Amino acid sequence: MSPQATPEAPYVAAFEAAEHDGAAHDPAWLRELRRDAMAEFTRAGFPTARRGNEAWKYTDVRPLASTAFAAPAPDDGPGELDLSPYELPCPRVHQLVFVDGRYAPQLSTDPPSEGARSSHVFFERGDGPIVGRLAEAAHYDVPLVHEHLGKHAGAAASAFASLNTAFVRDGAFVSIPDGVSVPEPIYLLFISTGRPEPAAPTVTYPRVLIVAGRDSSATVLLSFESLGDGVYFTDAVTEVVAGPGAKLRCITLQRESTAAYHISTTQVVQARDSAVSSVTIDLGGSLVRHDLSVLLAEPGASVSLNGLYLGTGNRHVDNHTFVDHAVAGASSDEVYKGILDESSRGVFVGHVLVRPGAQHTVAHQVNKNLLLSDEAEADTQPKLEIFADDVTCTHGAAVGALDPAALFYLKSRGIGEAAARALLVHGFVREIVDSIANDAVRQYADEAVTAALGTG
Amino acid sequence: MLEIHDLHASVNGADILKGIDLRVGAGETHAIMGPNGSGKSTLALVLAGHPAYTVTRGSVTFDGRDLLGLAPEERARAGLFLSFQHPIEIPGLRLDHFLRAGYNEVRKSRDEDEIDVLKFDRLIRAKVKETGMDAALTKRSVNDGFSGGEKKRNELLQMTVLEPKLRILDEVDSGLDVDSLRSVADGINRLATPESATLIVTHYQRILSYVVPDAVHILIDGRIVRSGDKHLAAEIESRGYDWVTEAAQPAPPSVAPTAGQS
Ligand SMILES: Nc1ncnc2c1ncn2[C@@H]1O[C@H](COP(=O)(O)OP(=O)(O)OP(=O)(O)O)[C@@H](O)[C@H]1O
Ligand SMILES: [Mg+2]
């Protein structure tokens, strides 16, 4: 069989090569995790079927599957990198930077007192956040990593999650010890050089594990950026474990190249009385798909999910969210908004499952789409499965153009057509940007959104 | 300042304005009264350039310019201001940002420099005080969750900031408590200059005892059927509109009644 026989074959070959080369120092459990994931990926294959493939009904990944992506060459480093466009507007930040999947120590900073990352001691501290490399954590066999990595967004999630796990070697490991509050943002920056042709398209597998201990509190920004406008593939997986009473705010800013494929899988697991806020902002990419799942595993857990996606050109952005109310007395509140221009397409599928016995569940979901052109398209589909009777569940969806009455109101105050439209569009996104509690991250995201919207 | 001649307008195929003639000179205040659905707001919106309304006949000049040929934003920049009967809510757009955008657009059109956030902040604080509005409202989304009275005050604030030449006030008094009515009326009077004019649409004589009109026009079924001085408003208040309609009856329906002149 030639290696090109199936779309999966090149990945199998790359996997074997990687395992053969540099996997010897990894703990046995990690190698096993990868091997199982690869087996799962080959079994499932890319979800390219156009029939009977409910989860991918709106999103055709055949162009992705048929593109030959290679691992970035080791000597392909970006050289000197100017990170100033990606700086958060605050003096202290815990920052990890990966360039084309590789950790960039010279770019990764920490508040001075936090000390060296690469030590056993670093991963055992209990007084401050651990923002380190997964590779190091695995090397020191940190128990939390062993306990959680691949346990939440494993094979069951999708072929893309399995593929990521099959190649997991490095990434970010964030651990907030019990009772620790981290005031400064934790910033995980994944940069793709995004070289255009004739460079071969590359694939990276960003991986993040966040474990928030009991009554801890932190803000984590995950950012995907591109330096060029080439074709590449980001296959990201993030696992979030929120302990009892933990308050965790996760913001994802996706600003890949306009030719890039970005597929992400995020699994959040929440213990009693934990509060998680997730904000996903999509400003880039050609084909974008997020699978975000939240398991409200214990009573009192609450989650807010906010999303904003901007479509221009032929961009296709697909947000699939799944909130699992597994127990009584948990709440979820979800607001996703799309602004779709030109020939872009936005997809939102919001699945809420209220399991039997999950009484006093409160679940709200809203998806609103603003269509700025006749060619733009939005698909919105709430999926509520409710197996308990004493619950409060609402959902709403809207697809429409800018409100002519609002436009007229603005114009009647002297504001011209273009400026009026820009003001209304900014007004539409405000709610999502403002759902970011951390000032520095909100300001940074706001600027990114404003820049992406162009005028205003 | 404003000359309306034989103005006909329709919306969704329905004829609403059926031949309006009206002249408002500089320094004057005119009131328009009329039963519900008679076309008062339609007239106001047509003057402001609402795209849903089609002018089917007639002309309007404003300051010597053909008003109907201007886009709504150009009318605003030329100094026309409409205080809406139903101001719209715009979630997400902060009132002060909205006001600054409008203010600067108007300045730009006059070849004046835009003013920066800090300067505008100072300006708006002064204007807020002048209008007696709750300053906190300027940091909220435009009209979003405002009470009826707060919305009207917000219209007054916008008018105070933009300093228009022609103020068209569509039921600025509805939903206001007695004290607010007084203060809104004071606000309107404060803006009055010999170079500017006011067209005030109302159902009640009350506001006209503060903002005293030079002329009162009664609009019924898309036509001005009677004009008079401020006493006409009091008469309407006590007698309603029926007598006006009856009095207007002799005129053949196909002929537009004589419009009021000031
Ligand atoms: N968009 C529209 N489509 C159809 N009919 C309309 C539309 N807008 C206004 N109308 C009709 O035009 C007529 C005049 O309405 P307008 O709002 O001008 O009345 P008004 O005199 O301001 O009444 P009110 O005193 O109640 O404010 C009404 O019969 C109204 O139903
Ligand atoms: Mg009206």
Side-chain angles (χ1 to χ4, degrees):
Chain A
M1 191 168 78
S2 105
Q4 302 307 322
T6 67
E8 293 79 19
Y11 295 90
V12 176
F15 173 81
E16 295 302 345
E19 289 301 305
H20 186 265
D21 287 352
H25 301 298
D26 288 340
W29 66 263
L30 182 55
R31 276 179 285 150
E32 194 182 316
L33 181 74
R34 287 197 296 251
R35 194 155 285 284
D36 289 349
M38 196 64 215
E40 182 50 34
F41 169 71
T42 22
R43 191 198 59 75
F46 284 115
T48 49
R50 299 313 300 147
R51 281 165 188 279
N53 187 9
E54 185 61 26
W56 295 85
K57 156 166 116 177
Y58 298 105
T59 298
D60 185 356
V61 292
R62 284 176 301 182
L64 185 162
S66 62
T67 304
F69 293 101
D75 56 350
D76 240 16
E80 283 299 294
L81 241 189
D82 176 17
L83 279 195
S84 56
Y86 312 119
E87 247 165 50
L88 288 187
C90 59
R92 285 168 59 94
V93 52
H94 306 267
Q95 177 169 314
L96 278 191
V97 181
F98 295 82
V99 178
D100 285 337
R102 265 185 304 275
Y103 176 62
Q106 72 284 8
L107 302 174
S108 302
T109 58
D110 233 351
S113 60
E114 309 301 343
R117 285 202 164 96
S118 184
S119 75
H120 212 279
V121 184
F122 176 75
F123 287 102
E124 283 164 7
R125 59 193 300 219
D127 58 342
I130 296 159
V131 182
R133 295 173 58 188
L134 262 181
E136 299 279 358
H139 174 75
Y140 295 113
D141 219 351
V142 174
L144 280 177
V145 174
H146 189 167
E147 187 182 336
H148 294 294
L149 188 71
K151 300 300 187 294
H152 305 292
S158 84
F160 290 105
S162 302
L163 185 61
N164 174 294
T165 301
F167 286 95
V168 62
R169 276 196 169 64
D170 206 351
F173 171 56
V174 175
S175 165
I176 319 295
D178 291 353
V180 169
S181 282
V182 189
E184 52 286 320
I186 295 165
Y187 186 17
L188 312 175
L189 178 53
F190 295 89
I191 297 177
S192 292
T193 49
R195 287 187 183 78
E197 282 189 283
T202 55
V203 53
T204 60
Y205 303 100
R207 183 82 182 204
V208 176
L209 173 62
I210 302 170
V211 184
R214 172 182 296 273
D215 296 324
S216 66
S217 157
T219 295
V220 183
L221 170 64
L222 257 84
S223 211
F224 297 90
E225 302 279 2
S226 175
L227 304 177
D229 51 11
V231 178
Y232 58 88
F233 170 27
T234 301
D235 181 19
V237 170
T238 301
E239 290 165 292
V240 178
V241 183
K247 290 196 172 28
L248 194 59
R249 293 159 295 269
C250 297
I251 300 94
T252 301
L253 181 65
Q254 183 275 114
R255 208 157 36 163
E256 306 272 24
S257 98
T258 51
Y261 297 90
H262 180 100
I263 310 274
S264 88
T265 309
T266 304
Q267 175 71 57
V268 180
V269 181
Q270 294 188 233
R272 178 179 298 273
D273 297 331
S274 61
V276 171
S277 154
S278 157
V279 183
T280 305
I281 298 178
D282 285 297
L283 307 177
S286 164
L287 188 153
V288 179
R289 163 69 176 244
H290 300 292
D291 282 277
L292 169 55
S293 307
V294 180
L295 172 61
L296 299 168
E298 292 179 5
S302 68
V303 68
S304 82
L305 302 173
N306 290 281
L308 170 67
Y309 41 100
L310 303 191
T312 54
N314 291 313
R315 180 172 302 143
H316 179 108
V317 188
D318 177 350
N319 274 286
H320 268 62
T321 66
F322 173 50
V323 181
D324 186 347
H325 284 267
V327 294
S331 66
S332 63
D333 192 356
E334 181 167 20
V335 181
Y336 269 67
K337 286 186 165 185
I339 296 182
L340 302 163
D341 203 352
E342 297 172 333
S343 305
S344 64
R345 187 172 184 193
V347 177
F348 174 81
V349 177
H351 185 180
V352 176
L353 171 62
V354 180
R355 292 190 189 263
Q359 302 296 16
H360 309 295
T361 286
V362 177
H364 298 294
Q365 180 190 91
V366 172
N367 174 231
K368 287 186 185 167
N369 293 280
L370 196 51
L371 301 184
L372 297 183
S373 93
D374 292 341
E375 284 73 46
E377 212 183 314
D379 297 288
T380 173
Q381 188 187 322
K383 259 165 65 177
L384 275 64
E385 289 184 280
I386 300 167
F387 298 103
D389 49 16
D390 186 9
V391 301
T392 308
C393 295
T394 62
H395 70 91
V399 179
L402 284 173
D403 177 10
L407 262 179
F408 178 66
Y409 191 67
L410 267 59
K411 289 180 182 177
S412 77
R413 301 311 184 229
I415 301 169
E417 170 85 21
R421 293 179 74 90
L423 282 172
L424 291 181
V425 165
H426 279 93
F428 182 77
V429 307
R430 195 76 258 142
E431 177 186 8
I432 303 301
V433 174
D434 283 352
S435 69
I436 301 172
N438 182 280
D439 290 339
V441 177
R442 185 180 58 255
Q443 192 184 325
Y444 181 74
D446 196 10
E447 280 164 20
V449 170
T450 301
L453 285 173
T455 41
Chain B
M1 158 137 324
L2 181 72
E3 290 188 34
I4 304 176
H5 178 65
D6 193 28
L7 184 66
H8 291 247
S10 65
V11 58
N12 289 337
D15 294 329
I16 311 294
L17 301 184
K18 301 170 182 173
I20 304 262
D21 286 273
L22 182 65
R23 280 176 72 118
V24 180
E28 294 177 353
T29 297
H30 289 231
I32 292 186
M33 301 181 82
N36 295 132
S38 57
K40 303 179 298 297
S41 294
T42 302
L43 175 61
L45 291 167
V46 164
L47 293 176
H50 195 292
Y53 298 86
T54 316
V55 173
T56 51
R57 188 150 28 124
S59 65
V60 182
T61 41
F62 174 54
D63 250 1
R65 295 170 78 181
D66 170 20
L67 185 74
L68 301 177
L70 301 178
E73 61 272 28
E74 293 168 332
R75 299 180 194 201
R77 293 170 196 163
L80 183 146
F81 183 94
L82 169 60
S83 169
F84 285 78
Q85 181 179 357
H86 303 291
I88 188 143
E89 303 192 0
I90 309 178
L93 176 57
R94 243 170 70 166
L95 177 55
D96 55 350
H97 294 174
F98 162 59
L99 272 171
R100 180 155 49 88
Y103 185 74
N104 275 329
E105 291 255 4
V106 170
R107 285 182 71 93
K108 259 197 301 196
S109 73
R110 295 180 190 154
D111 280 329
E112 294 167 355
D113 285 340
E114 295 187 35
I115 70 166
D116 64 25
V117 182
L118 288 177
K119 279 216 189 94
F120 187 76
D121 231 41
R122 230 170 295 142
L123 174 102
I124 196 158
R125 255 181 284 150
K127 301 288 186 187
V128 160
K129 222 184 228 163
E130 207 177 309
T131 15
M133 195 167 110
D134 177 2
L137 290 177
T138 62
K139 307 288 176 202
R140 277 174 43 187
S141 296
V142 178
N143 293 323
D144 191 15
F146 285 24
S147 76
E150 286 169 341
K151 284 180 182 167
K152 293 298 157 96
R153 260 192 210 269
N154 182 17
E155 296 293 287
L156 178 65
L157 170 69
Q158 294 176 40
M159 191 164 79
T160 308
V161 169
L162 296 175
E163 297 181 331
K165 275 192 208 143
L166 176 63
R167 298 167 287 272
I168 303 171
L169 308 165
D170 192 357
E171 296 199 22
V172 71
D173 52 342
S174 66
L176 291 182
D177 64 51
V178 236
D179 296 334
S180 299
L181 181 66
R182 181 77 217 225
S183 100
V184 164
D186 286 348
I188 295 166
N189 287 333
R190 222 177 297 120
L191 293 173
T193 61
E195 296 77 40
S196 67
T198 306
L199 190 59
I200 180 166
V201 174
T202 184
H203 285 294
Y204 307 107
Q205 203 269 331
R206 175 166 233 134
I207 190 159
L208 300 180
S209 62
Y210 300 123
V211 181
V212 182
D214 300 294
V216 175
H217 311 279
I218 310 302
L219 184 67
I220 293 179
D221 192 22
R223 293 185 184 96
I224 291 176
V225 297
R226 182 181 277 260
S227 299
D229 64 9
K230 60 182 179 188
H231 302 296
L232 183 55
E235 211 168 342
I236 292 292
E237 183 114 326
S238 61
R239 295 177 65 188
Y241 290 106
D242 283 352
W243 68 275
V244 188
T245 332
E246 283 151 23
Q249 216 47 241
S254 58
V255 174
T258 327
Q261 307 278 313
S262 60

